[in-house]
């Protein structure tokens, strides 16, 4: 829950550039989830389609907002 609230607060308080940085750093969470799922028997398909895809979206949107 906090992972979703903190970036929204950053957006409201500091604008889109800071929001981009917040999204970029938030990508750490799904990457950590990827490691946890894989080491506990999760399938490669699941980790790639859910967790890695989420991290990629966060990084791409974050970089676009930073460079804007």
């Amino acid at each position: 829950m906090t992972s979703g609230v903190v970036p929204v607060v950053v957006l409201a308080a500091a604008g889109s550039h800071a929001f981009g940085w917040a999204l970029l750093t938030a990508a750490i969470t799904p990457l950590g989830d990827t490691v946890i799922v894989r080491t506990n028997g999760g399938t490669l398909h699941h980790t790639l389609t859910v967790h890695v895809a989420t991290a990629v979206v966060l990084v791409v949107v974050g970089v676009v907002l930073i460079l804007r």
Side-chain angles (χ1 to χ4, degrees):
M1 184 75 145
T2 304
S3 296
V5 174
V6 171
V8 173
V9 171
V10 170
L11 175 62
S16 62
H17 185 78
F19 183 57
W21 282 107
L23 291 180
L24 199 58
T25 58
I28 295 169
T29 301
L31 291 175
D33 291 344
T34 298
V35 172
I36 292 167
V37 170
R38 282 298 288 154
T39 56
N40 286 292
T43 65
L44 180 61
H45 179 264
H46 177 80
T47 58
L48 290 176
T49 58
V50 177
H51 303 291
V52 174
T54 301
V56 168
V57 169
L58 287 169
V59 168
V60 169
V61 173
V63 168
V64 167
L65 290 172
I66 291 166
L67 297 176
R68 217 177 112 181

